[in-house]
Amino acid sequence: MNIEHFLSKTISAAVNQLFTLNTKPEDVILQKTKKEFEGDFTLVTFPYIKAAKLSPEKTGEAIGEEISRLNSDISTYNVVKGFLNISLSTSFWLKQFKTISADAHYGIKPANSSGKQIMLEYSSPNTNKPLHLGHVRNNLLGYAVASILKTQGHDVVKVNLVNDRGIHICKSMLAWKLFGNGETPESSGLKGDHLVGKYYVEFDKAYKKEIQELTSQGMSKENAEKQAPLMVQAQEMLLKWEAGDPETIKLWKMMNNWVYDGFKVSYQKLGVEFDKTYYESNTYLLGKEVVQEGLEKGIFYKKENNSVAIDLSADKLDEKIVLRSDGTSVYITQDLGTAIERFKEYPKTSQMIYTVGNEQDYHFKVLFKILEKLGYDWAKECYHLSYGMVELPEGKMKSREGTVVDADDLMDGMVEAAREVTEASGKIDSFSQEEKDTLFTTIGMGALKYFILKVDPKKKMLFDPKESIDLQGNTGPFIQYAHARIKSILRNYNKPTKDLVIEANIHLHEKERELVKLLYDFPKVLEEAAKTYNPSDVANYTYELAKLFNQFFSECPVLKEENNAVREFRIKLIESTALVIKNGMLSLGIEVPERM
RNA sequence: GGUCCGGUAGCUCAGCUGGAUAGAGCAGCUGCCUUCUAAGCAGCAGGCCAUUGGUUCGAAUCCAAUCCGGAUCACCA
């Protein structure tokens, strides 16, 4: 039921006949007719005027006449300069809509029906600090892309790779040991991840002070950074950890568990989840065999100092070290090992997607290239879902310096803002307290999620904490509101809608026709978003649909419509609209309320 | 310096596989609630699409150069 395709066929047949051309249907470029003009689809006639030996207008007329003759679904056409605007008949659109409204899963393919399994990694936090706005973008983006891929029938395995080891955790541990006085989440009343983050900041403050003292004594900045007692101690702690020192491991486990307790709460508020969680403490040694394998295949080479490297200069990626001279792994070694391990663990997986910020673009180019050179055929299916940084008006966020927008604060603030607006409206006075709280969360989180997801992932985005996220206009709550309005009408109707018949001979209001046309686009939008890993397509589409519904709502009565056939069509129309809004939003990880 | 990404209304963003008069929202100004939810609708105002050249019947969109901003080029992760 691809309309463009069958129109293209008609058009190519027409131009081939008229102008003795050999155009294929896929060469015909159709676009949606702009709002200011009458029509459903537009053909630009310039490409044909040469063969036609006619003016653009006459060419358009000729094609229009011929396709109307060939295809009875084309009701009228008009020509404006070099543009042929084609209108399909109302009965044709109603036929399309009948199919749409009969499909309870319109646009959504059955679970696991594609036969393709995709592993998608996202979130991947460090355990030395709480989540901030940057992580929020990562989590929401990863979860949304996973959901969108699921609408295409793919089996998506969501994985988290927790960075639970390394020097940064040792910094928090050391600071807690030195300055913490045994403080715990219970004793401080702080959420575990926030408590650990507090000591990460403490470390940095004390460390900076040490550096300053040393440099004022005449030491170079570089040396001071290395020789500051705190840094030396942190390094020692890391060595102890790697050696399995019981006391260090005990401290590490305790503090990491505080963090996990905290993350659990944040993840739940964000509404994200994972099928599998990996920990770097288990994977950081992986990849050494891979290096051996690469050496044997001659893909890697040993340098004089015993480190192992690969030359990627032919691919414009320079030389890259894959093993240090002391034989230990670098970051990319782990990633190589982990990737290979995962494909062994999930043999059905044919693609791996990494949701990681664009500051690591280079890293992933190198990673995929090495995997390819090692001969893993799935390497070309690996994809770096690279997203832009979230910036504040004063620039990048820095955890160490505390210039971050905390994820928990942000979420709580949004829910609170939703509460204020909702209570002021007085529309939910009959709700129970529990229903109210759920609604505030739905709206507040809807606003936050939509705000982030409507922006093209590739682009960096700006967030100004002084200007709170809007609840009006192009926002999540605007879309949620349209859904709630429809549900309200359907509640008032209070009868089953299943047996309502869509009559073929009703006249369509302009907004009704637009709604049908826009609903028709939904499956393509999801498909495209899945193909390009871009939730913003779905977000923008859903907003367009909600806006169009609001226009329809103010111009067309539903329950008060006196003509039976029209009224019943409208009920079906808004029912499908609500379903598409809901499924569009759910594919972004955003809930829609029945009432608000 | 090399590579990559970006520069569209006062602000935040769409549009970028070339097509008609460049779109939304916010902020500002006007109207519209005794009628299915006004978190809404209708309207006004706001633009040398960074600059310059090129390709084309046609360029915000493609190409080149320049300017501005950011990222990256570790035996860090």
Side-chain angles (χ1 to χ4, degrees):
Chain A
M1 84 156 190
N2 188 317
I3 298 172
E4 288 89 333
H5 188 249
F6 100 84
L7 254 185
S8 296
K9 255 161 97 175
T10 306
I11 291 166
S12 67
V15 296
N16 289 347
Q17 168 70 29
L18 287 170
F19 314 131
T20 53
L21 282 167
N22 193 18
T23 308
K24 292 189 215 100
E26 52 270 32
D27 296 333
V28 175
I29 298 163
L30 277 174
Q31 49 195 288
K32 288 168 110 182
T33 302
K34 289 208 164 197
K35 264 215 184 118
E36 314 83 274
F37 302 94
E38 194 196 322
D40 297 324
F41 295 94
T42 295
L43 178 77
V44 180
T45 60
F46 288 109
Y48 306 104
I49 56 175
K50 214 186 253 177
K53 299 188 183 104
L54 294 167
S55 68
E57 289 85 352
K58 291 234 168 86
T59 308
E61 285 292 344
I63 299 172
E65 199 180 305
E66 182 66 8
I67 59 173
S68 312
R69 200 177 60 75
L70 288 173
N71 195 322
S72 60
D73 288 323
I74 295 168
S75 58
T76 59
Y77 66 90
N78 65 81
V79 177
V80 181
K81 293 190 275 185
F83 300 87
L84 170 63
N85 300 317
I86 303 160
S87 299
L88 296 165
S89 69
T90 298
S91 63
F92 172 84
W93 281 115
L94 283 170
K95 209 164 60 195
Q96 298 299 321
F97 175 64
K98 226 175 190 167
T99 318
I100 292 170
S101 78
D103 186 351
H105 304 283
Y106 177 60
I108 313 289
K109 293 177 185 146
N112 302 338
S113 60
S114 76
K116 188 174 176 186
Q117 186 180 71
I118 301 170
M119 184 175 283
L120 187 149
E121 177 187 307
Y122 72 108
S123 197
S124 304
N126 292 349
T127 56
N128 63 329
K129 54 177 188 281
L131 304 179
H132 60 63
L133 182 53
H135 300 113
V136 171
R137 189 177 197 190
N138 181 305
N139 279 278
L140 296 180
L141 186 59
Y143 186 82
V145 170
S147 305
I148 289 168
L149 289 171
K150 281 188 181 177
T151 69
Q152 300 305 299
H154 303 315
D155 175 15
V156 183
V157 182
K158 297 193 285 279
V159 304
N160 191 359
L161 176 57
V162 180
N163 186 355
D164 61 343
R165 64 164 288 280
I167 190 71
H168 46 285
I169 284 95
C170 291
K171 290 176 182 175
S172 292
M173 284 159 62
L174 180 64
W176 181 85
K177 217 172 151 181
L178 294 174
F179 320 124
N181 296 316
E183 193 175 34
T184 66
E186 291 75 31
S187 75
S188 64
L190 278 175
K191 202 161 155 277
D193 49 339
H194 288 260
L195 179 66
V196 173
K198 175 179 148 188
Y199 286 100
Y200 187 65
V201 174
E202 291 286 317
F203 175 93
D204 198 61
K205 271 199 261 174
Y207 174 52
K208 282 212 170 106
K209 205 183 265 175
E210 286 185 354
I211 292 172
Q212 205 182 359
E213 272 169 32
L214 290 171
T215 48
S216 69
Q217 289 163 23
M219 190 183 280
S220 76
K221 200 178 170 222
E222 204 180 325
N223 281 338
E225 279 170 3
K226 279 185 198 148
Q227 292 175 26
L230 277 170
M231 184 52 88
V232 173
Q233 286 180 74
Q235 296 284 2
E236 279 167 7
M237 195 176 244
L238 181 59
L239 287 176
K240 276 189 178 170
W241 180 89
E242 288 186 359
D245 171 61
E247 200 191 322
T248 308
I249 297 287
K250 196 178 154 201
L251 175 63
W252 172 72
K253 279 192 176 156
M254 179 180 77
M255 289 183 72
N256 269 351
N257 280 327
W258 291 347
V259 172
Y260 297 144
D261 288 343
F263 282 174
K264 202 173 153 194
V265 173
S266 301
Y267 281 150
Q268 199 170 5
K269 270 194 270 186
L270 276 170
V272 301
E273 64 203 4
F274 305 94
D275 300 304
K276 166 117 194 177
T277 299
Y278 293 90
Y279 297 91
E280 274 195 21
S281 54
N282 293 325
T283 63
Y284 83 108
L285 294 173
L286 287 174
K288 291 198 184 182
E289 322 81 71
V290 181
V291 172
Q292 195 52 43
E293 182 190 331
L295 274 171
E296 280 160 20
K297 287 184 179 169
I299 294 158
F300 301 151
Y301 53 85
K302 222 165 217 169
K303 300 182 44 159
E304 312 91 68
N305 61 9
N306 236 14
S307 62
V308 179
I310 181 168
D311 181 13
L312 294 172
S313 52
D315 301 289
K316 287 204 260 181
L317 292 169
D318 304 320
E319 179 187 65
K320 185 81 191 168
I321 296 286
V322 293
L323 207 61
R324 295 191 188 104
S325 50
D326 64 3
T328 57
S329 302
V330 291
Y331 184 52
I332 201 153
T333 325
Q334 294 175 49
D335 269 1
L336 286 166
T338 305
I340 293 163
E341 191 78 4
R342 283 178 180 173
F343 276 99
K344 277 188 199 148
E345 197 180 338
Y346 289 85
K348 281 192 295 180
T349 288
S350 58
Q351 182 178 27
M352 177 103 75
I353 298 171
Y354 297 85
T355 313
V356 180
N358 63 9
E359 50 199 357
Q360 294 196 37
D361 284 354
Y362 175 77
H363 171 76
F364 281 100
K365 273 186 195 163
V366 171
L367 177 67
F368 299 157
K369 183 54 78 181
I370 294 177
L371 286 168
E372 191 188 314
K373 292 205 184 244
L374 286 169
Y376 295 99
D377 52 1
W378 41 259
K380 54 187 179 305
E381 294 292 319
C382 286
Y383 181 75
H384 175 204
L385 176 50
S386 165
Y387 61 91
M389 296 292 106
V390 182
E391 287 175 11
L392 302 176
E394 53 289 2
K396 241 184 118 175
M397 293 186 277
K398 295 208 175 80
S399 290
R400 275 175 305 192
E401 292 165 22
T403 58
V404 293
V405 175
D406 179 75
D408 293 314
D409 292 348
L410 180 62
M411 291 191 281
D412 293 347
M414 288 310 302
V415 174
E416 174 59 21
R419 187 186 69 74
E420 281 166 21
V421 173
T422 309
E423 284 186 335
S425 78
K427 287 178 188 169
I428 56 150
D429 294 345
S430 63
F431 276 37
S432 73
Q433 192 55 48
E434 196 189 338
E435 287 170 322
K436 284 182 185 173
D437 289 338
T438 305
L439 182 63
F440 303 151
T441 303
T442 300
I443 296 172
M445 290 307 296
L448 173 60
K449 290 180 180 185
Y450 183 84
F451 176 81
I452 286 173
L453 291 171
K454 76 167 197 228
V455 181
D456 185 335
K458 291 195 299 289
K459 297 193 176 175
K460 67 164 188 245
M461 60 180 293
L462 193 107
F463 176 79
D464 189 345
K466 289 195 294 293
E467 290 175 36
S468 57
I469 294 171
D470 280 317
L471 303 174
Q472 276 161 9
N474 187 355
T475 66
F478 176 97
I479 299 164
Q480 293 172 323
Y481 181 64
H483 180 264
R485 277 177 138 182
I486 295 173
K487 288 297 175 158
S488 171
I489 300 173
L490 294 175
R491 270 194 307 276
N492 289 335
Y493 179 61
N494 198 26
K495 271 178 269 185
T497 57
K498 215 170 186 174
D499 300 325
L500 295 179
V501 177
I502 295 158
E503 287 186 23
N505 58 356
I506 53 175
H507 175 261
L508 284 185
H509 185 276
E510 182 198 340
K511 295 298 171 191
E512 294 174 309
R513 193 184 175 91
E514 283 180 40
L515 271 173
V516 170
K517 278 159 55 175
L518 197 54
L519 290 172
Y520 167 78
D521 287 339
F522 182 54
K524 283 181 297 181
V525 171
L526 282 179
E527 255 176 63
E528 184 64 18
K531 220 178 278 175
T532 55
Y533 313 101
N534 186 356
S536 75
D537 286 344
V538 181
N540 289 322
Y541 169 84
T542 313
Y543 169 65
E544 285 302 321
L545 184 59
K547 193 165 73 158
L548 185 54
F549 165 76
N550 279 333
Q551 290 166 356
F552 162 85
F553 180 84
S554 70
E555 290 180 38
C556 304
V558 179
L559 300 179
K560 297 209 166 104
E561 169 59 42
E562 286 172 8
N563 180 312
N564 272 331
V566 172
R567 184 176 63 245
E568 297 189 353
F569 165 71
R570 286 182 178 166
I571 289 166
K572 287 295 227 183
L573 182 63
I574 64 169
E575 190 180 43
S576 290
T577 303
L579 183 73
V580 169
I581 289 176
K582 183 177 181 172
N583 283 333
M585 292 292 263
L586 284 179
S587 81
L588 298 170
I590 303 175
E591 306 270 344
V592 289
E594 297 290 308
R595 289 181 60 182
M596 70 184 273

